[in-house]
Amino acid sequence: MSTDTPDASADDAPTRAELAARVDELEDALSEATADDDGKKMSIIATKGTLDMAYPPLILASTAAAFGYEVTVFHTFWGLDILHEEHSKNLKLSSVGNPNMPVPNAIAALPGMDRVTTSMMEKKIDDNDTATIEELLETSLDMGVEFQACQMTIELMDYDEDDFFDGVTTGVGAATAIQDMAEADIQLLV
Amino acid sequence: MSAEFDITETLDVKGASCPMPVVKTKSAADELAEGDVLEVLSTDSGSMSDIEGWAAGTGGVELLDQQADGDVYKHYVRKTE
């Protein structure tokens, strides 16, 4: 509390109308801020770039958008390839280290085998009318999903900001992801 | 077919699999006016649970009915706002 207050000229004191206007202004700001908080948010961190692991973040992102969530997907390390215009069309699947696939590791490790398993998976995706990665990306972008490409890993992987699809946000880092996660109702690391 | 409501639009997503039936239903619902009824035709057996869950978790829509008609799953969604 300031002792100056009583000395201030009466002319400086806000009028009743000014105070009322100020209260209205604050009430508007409050209701605007509260309305924003009502929106549901989801934050996904996508770290993998194999064909199979590119699906979960995109399926969940587009579906959450359909539920009315404001969705952010933060792509880092190999997850960047999902947003990379060229690499995104050529995501690979390897059966090395995946004992559920019908190819023994010793054979899966042979040159060219990743191409075989990738073709097998692509055929299954096609036969099953499963959406392609590109379709899911486009759909998600149309629905307002925000895709972010981690700046540190863009540089680490020697990518260029122009390598990514239109609409992808670059120039973001871990703090942006943390801020999104802190505000989100659902947070996922894929 | 139930006589309790008139169908305004039909969305045919036969052949499409998860997540497209829900995603396209949402986009189609966005184009409708309050009170309109959207019929969704899908061959995805997961759509029975998925569209029910989507309608329950989304504001402004109400699931009126779901029917399995052979290989086709029919969903009826009313826009409520």
PDB file of all heavy atoms in Angstrom, chain B residues 61-78:
ATOM      1  N   VAL B  61     -22.889 -33.683 -31.440  1.00  0.00           N
ATOM      2  CA  VAL B  61     -23.427 -34.795 -32.228  1.00  0.00           C
ATOM      3  C   VAL B  61     -24.067 -35.828 -31.298  1.00  0.00           C
ATOM      4  O   VAL B  61     -23.692 -35.946 -30.128  1.00  0.00           O
ATOM      5  CB  VAL B  61     -22.348 -35.513 -33.087  1.00  0.00           C
ATOM      6  CG1 VAL B  61     -21.818 -34.606 -34.177  1.00  0.00           C
ATOM      7  CG2 VAL B  61     -21.207 -36.029 -32.230  1.00  0.00           C
ATOM      8  N   GLU B  62     -25.038 -36.546 -31.858  1.00  0.00           N
ATOM      9  CA  GLU B  62     -25.728 -37.566 -31.073  1.00  0.00           C
ATOM     10  C   GLU B  62     -25.881 -38.806 -31.952  1.00  0.00           C
ATOM     11  O   GLU B  62     -26.318 -38.709 -33.109  1.00  0.00           O
ATOM     12  CB  GLU B  62     -27.111 -37.010 -30.682  1.00  0.00           C
ATOM     13  CG  GLU B  62     -27.997 -37.990 -29.971  1.00  0.00           C
ATOM     14  CD  GLU B  62     -29.466 -37.504 -29.927  1.00  0.00           C
ATOM     15  OE1 GLU B  62     -29.788 -36.481 -30.572  1.00  0.00           O
ATOM     16  OE2 GLU B  62     -30.257 -38.176 -29.264  1.00  0.00           O
ATOM     17  N   LEU B  63     -25.499 -39.955 -31.417  1.00  0.00           N
ATOM     18  CA  LEU B  63     -25.640 -41.206 -32.174  1.00  0.00           C
ATOM     19  C   LEU B  63     -27.070 -41.710 -32.005  1.00  0.00           C
ATOM     20  O   LEU B  63     -27.516 -41.975 -30.890  1.00  0.00           O
ATOM     21  CB  LEU B  63     -24.634 -42.241 -31.661  1.00  0.00           C
ATOM     22  CG  LEU B  63     -24.590 -43.560 -32.419  1.00  0.00           C
ATOM     23  CD1 LEU B  63     -24.143 -43.355 -33.861  1.00  0.00           C
ATOM     24  CD2 LEU B  63     -23.657 -44.542 -31.724  1.00  0.00           C
ATOM     25  N   LEU B  64     -27.791 -41.806 -33.118  1.00  0.00           N
ATOM     26  CA  LEU B  64     -29.193 -42.217 -33.045  1.00  0.00           C
ATOM     27  C   LEU B  64     -29.337 -43.727 -33.113  1.00  0.00           C
ATOM     28  O   LEU B  64     -30.166 -44.324 -32.432  1.00  0.00           O
ATOM     29  CB  LEU B  64     -29.988 -41.595 -34.197  1.00  0.00           C
ATOM     30  CG  LEU B  64     -30.009 -40.067 -34.262  1.00  0.00           C
ATOM     31  CD1 LEU B  64     -30.665 -39.621 -35.556  1.00  0.00           C
ATOM     32  CD2 LEU B  64     -30.747 -39.501 -33.057  1.00  0.00           C
ATOM     33  N   ASP B  65     -28.537 -44.355 -33.981  1.00  0.00           N
ATOM     34  CA  ASP B  65     -28.714 -45.782 -34.205  1.00  0.00           C
ATOM     35  C   ASP B  65     -27.490 -46.361 -34.900  1.00  0.00           C
ATOM     36  O   ASP B  65     -26.765 -45.637 -35.590  1.00  0.00           O
ATOM     37  CB  ASP B  65     -29.955 -45.998 -35.097  1.00  0.00           C
ATOM     38  CG  ASP B  65     -30.431 -47.450 -35.072  1.00  0.00           C
ATOM     39  OD1 ASP B  65     -30.006 -48.208 -34.172  1.00  0.00           O
ATOM     40  OD2 ASP B  65     -31.219 -47.817 -35.964  1.00  0.00           O
ATOM     41  N   GLN B  66     -27.273 -47.648 -34.691  1.00  0.00           N
ATOM     42  CA  GLN B  66     -26.232 -48.386 -35.414  1.00  0.00           C
ATOM     43  C   GLN B  66     -26.799 -49.736 -35.804  1.00  0.00           C
ATOM     44  O   GLN B  66     -27.450 -50.386 -34.988  1.00  0.00           O
ATOM     45  CB  GLN B  66     -24.996 -48.608 -34.523  1.00  0.00           C
ATOM     46  CG  GLN B  66     -24.184 -47.357 -34.245  1.00  0.00           C
ATOM     47  CD  GLN B  66     -22.942 -47.654 -33.437  1.00  0.00           C
ATOM     48  OE1 GLN B  66     -23.034 -48.146 -32.314  1.00  0.00           O
ATOM     49  NE2 GLN B  66     -21.782 -47.350 -33.983  1.00  0.00           N
ATOM     50  N   GLN B  67     -26.541 -50.132 -37.039  1.00  0.00           N
ATOM     51  CA  GLN B  67     -27.035 -51.434 -37.497  1.00  0.00           C
ATOM     52  C   GLN B  67     -25.962 -52.151 -38.302  1.00  0.00           C
ATOM     53  O   GLN B  67     -25.245 -51.520 -39.063  1.00  0.00           O
ATOM     54  CB  GLN B  67     -28.246 -51.241 -38.432  1.00  0.00           C
ATOM     55  CG  GLN B  67     -29.433 -50.587 -37.788  1.00  0.00           C
ATOM     56  CD  GLN B  67     -30.412 -50.073 -38.851  1.00  0.00           C
ATOM     57  OE1 GLN B  67     -30.270 -50.381 -40.037  1.00  0.00           O
ATOM     58  NE2 GLN B  67     -31.379 -49.296 -38.416  1.00  0.00           N
ATOM     59  N   ALA B  68     -25.891 -53.479 -38.102  1.00  0.00           N
ATOM     60  CA  ALA B  68     -25.022 -54.291 -38.953  1.00  0.00           C
ATOM     61  C   ALA B  68     -25.918 -54.938 -39.997  1.00  0.00           C
ATOM     62  O   ALA B  68     -26.829 -55.682 -39.658  1.00  0.00           O
ATOM     63  CB  ALA B  68     -24.307 -55.336 -38.122  1.00  0.00           C
ATOM     64  N   ASP B  69     -25.673 -54.579 -41.271  1.00  0.00           N
ATOM     65  CA  ASP B  69     -26.492 -55.096 -42.360  1.00  0.00           C
ATOM     66  C   ASP B  69     -25.573 -55.891 -43.284  1.00  0.00           C
ATOM     67  O   ASP B  69     -24.983 -55.342 -44.209  1.00  0.00           O
ATOM     68  CB  ASP B  69     -27.151 -53.915 -43.088  1.00  0.00           C
ATOM     69  CG  ASP B  69     -28.054 -54.379 -44.231  1.00  0.00           C
ATOM     70  OD1 ASP B  69     -28.211 -55.612 -44.408  1.00  0.00           O
ATOM     71  OD2 ASP B  69     -28.583 -53.509 -44.945  1.00  0.00           O
ATOM     72  N   GLY B  70     -25.429 -57.190 -43.002  1.00  0.00           N
ATOM     73  CA  GLY B  70     -24.473 -57.994 -43.753  1.00  0.00           C
ATOM     74  C   GLY B  70     -23.072 -57.500 -43.464  1.00  0.00           C
ATOM     75  O   GLY B  70     -22.683 -57.388 -42.304  1.00  0.00           O
ATOM     76  N   ASP B  71     -22.350 -57.128 -44.532  1.00  0.00           N
ATOM     77  CA  ASP B  71     -20.977 -56.643 -44.374  1.00  0.00           C
ATOM     78  C   ASP B  71     -20.927 -55.136 -44.114  1.00  0.00           C
ATOM     79  O   ASP B  71     -19.856 -54.572 -43.918  1.00  0.00           O
ATOM     80  CB  ASP B  71     -20.164 -56.926 -45.650  1.00  0.00           C
ATOM     81  CG  ASP B  71     -19.888 -58.413 -45.814  1.00  0.00           C
ATOM     82  OD1 ASP B  71     -20.036 -59.143 -44.810  1.00  0.00           O
ATOM     83  OD2 ASP B  71     -19.543 -58.827 -46.937  1.00  0.00           O
ATOM     84  N   VAL B  72     -22.070 -54.497 -44.179  1.00  0.00           N
ATOM     85  CA  VAL B  72     -22.087 -53.036 -44.046  1.00  0.00           C
ATOM     86  C   VAL B  72     -22.595 -52.624 -42.667  1.00  0.00           C
ATOM     87  O   VAL B  72     -23.614 -53.117 -42.193  1.00  0.00           O
ATOM     88  CB  VAL B  72     -22.961 -52.399 -45.159  1.00  0.00           C
ATOM     89  CG1 VAL B  72     -22.990 -50.888 -45.016  1.00  0.00           C
ATOM     90  CG2 VAL B  72     -22.426 -52.794 -46.532  1.00  0.00           C
ATOM     91  N   TYR B  73     -21.828 -51.756 -42.061  1.00  0.00           N
ATOM     92  CA  TYR B  73     -22.216 -51.216 -40.752  1.00  0.00           C
ATOM     93  C   TYR B  73     -22.777 -49.817 -40.984  1.00  0.00           C
ATOM     94  O   TYR B  73     -22.128 -48.977 -41.604  1.00  0.00           O
ATOM     95  CB  TYR B  73     -21.013 -51.181 -39.804  1.00  0.00           C
ATOM     96  CG  TYR B  73     -20.435 -52.565 -39.607  1.00  0.00           C
ATOM     97  CD1 TYR B  73     -19.409 -53.041 -40.430  1.00  0.00           C
ATOM     98  CD2 TYR B  73     -20.963 -53.423 -38.637  1.00  0.00           C
ATOM     99  CE1 TYR B  73     -18.913 -54.330 -40.286  1.00  0.00           C
ATOM    100  CE2 TYR B  73     -20.468 -54.716 -38.477  1.00  0.00           C
ATOM    101  CZ  TYR B  73     -19.441 -55.162 -39.305  1.00  0.00           C
ATOM    102  OH  TYR B  73     -18.962 -56.438 -39.169  1.00  0.00           O
ATOM    103  N   LYS B  74     -24.016 -49.623 -40.491  1.00  0.00           N
ATOM    104  CA  LYS B  74     -24.701 -48.341 -40.722  1.00  0.00           C
ATOM    105  C   LYS B  74     -24.780 -47.558 -39.419  1.00  0.00           C
ATOM    106  O   LYS B  74     -25.130 -48.117 -38.374  1.00  0.00           O
ATOM    107  CB  LYS B  74     -26.105 -48.596 -41.260  1.00  0.00           C
ATOM    108  CG  LYS B  74     -26.119 -49.325 -42.595  1.00  0.00           C
ATOM    109  CD  LYS B  74     -27.544 -49.598 -43.027  1.00  0.00           C
ATOM    110  CE  LYS B  74     -27.571 -50.169 -44.448  1.00  0.00           C
ATOM    111  NZ  LYS B  74     -28.962 -50.448 -44.869  1.00  0.00           N
ATOM    112  N   HIS B  75     -24.459 -46.309 -39.521  1.00  0.00           N
ATOM    113  CA  HIS B  75     -24.457 -45.437 -38.337  1.00  0.00           C
ATOM    114  C   HIS B  75     -25.295 -44.206 -38.650  1.00  0.00           C
ATOM    115  O   HIS B  75     -25.219 -43.681 -39.759  1.00  0.00           O
ATOM    116  CB  HIS B  75     -23.027 -44.997 -38.000  1.00  0.00           C
ATOM    117  CG  HIS B  75     -22.031 -46.118 -38.023  1.00  0.00           C
ATOM    118  ND1 HIS B  75     -21.770 -46.907 -36.928  1.00  0.00           N
ATOM    119  CD2 HIS B  75     -21.264 -46.598 -39.033  1.00  0.00           C
ATOM    120  CE1 HIS B  75     -20.863 -47.815 -37.262  1.00  0.00           C
ATOM    121  NE2 HIS B  75     -20.541 -47.656 -38.533  1.00  0.00           N
ATOM    122  N   TYR B  76     -26.070 -43.767 -37.668  1.00  0.00           N
ATOM    123  CA  TYR B  76     -26.909 -42.581 -37.857  1.00  0.00           C
ATOM    124  C   TYR B  76     -26.572 -41.553 -36.785  1.00  0.00           C
ATOM    125  O   TYR B  76     -26.713 -41.827 -35.592  1.00  0.00           O
ATOM    126  CB  TYR B  76     -28.389 -42.975 -37.834  1.00  0.00           C
ATOM    127  CG  TYR B  76     -28.686 -43.948 -38.943  1.00  0.00           C
ATOM    128  CD1 TYR B  76     -28.597 -45.335 -38.732  1.00  0.00           C
ATOM    129  CD2 TYR B  76     -28.975 -43.493 -40.230  1.00  0.00           C
ATOM    130  CE1 TYR B  76     -28.793 -46.234 -39.766  1.00  0.00           C
ATOM    131  CE2 TYR B  76     -29.179 -44.382 -41.273  1.00  0.00           C
ATOM    132  CZ  TYR B  76     -29.079 -45.755 -41.041  1.00  0.00           C
ATOM    133  OH  TYR B  76     -29.270 -46.632 -42.073  1.00  0.00           O
ATOM    134  N   VAL B  77     -26.074 -40.422 -37.238  1.00  0.00           N
ATOM    135  CA  VAL B  77     -25.596 -39.394 -36.321  1.00  0.00           C
ATOM    136  C   VAL B  77     -26.374 -38.102 -36.549  1.00  0.00           C
ATOM    137  O   VAL B  77     -26.487 -37.638 -37.692  1.00  0.00           O
ATOM    138  CB  VAL B  77     -24.086 -39.120 -36.572  1.00  0.00           C
ATOM    139  CG1 VAL B  77     -23.578 -37.999 -35.669  1.00  0.00           C
ATOM    140  CG2 VAL B  77     -23.264 -40.381 -36.372  1.00  0.00           C
ATOM    141  N   ARG B  78     -26.941 -37.542 -35.481  1.00  0.00           N
ATOM    142  CA  ARG B  78     -27.660 -36.262 -35.600  1.00  0.00           C
ATOM    143  C   ARG B  78     -26.772 -35.131 -35.105  1.00  0.00           C
ATOM    144  O   ARG B  78     -26.080 -35.264 -34.101  1.00  0.00           O
ATOM    145  CB  ARG B  78     -28.951 -36.290 -34.785  1.00  0.00           C
ATOM    146  CG  ARG B  78     -29.680 -34.933 -34.790  1.00  0.00           C
ATOM    147  CD  ARG B  78     -30.925 -34.937 -33.947  1.00  0.00           C
ATOM    148  NE  ARG B  78     -32.042 -35.527 -34.676  1.00  0.00           N
ATOM    149  CZ  ARG B  78     -32.976 -36.302 -34.120  1.00  0.00           C
ATOM    150  NH1 ARG B  78     -32.901 -36.616 -32.846  1.00  0.00           N
ATOM    151  NH2 ARG B  78     -33.969 -36.775 -34.845  1.00  0.00           N
TER     152      ARG B  78
END
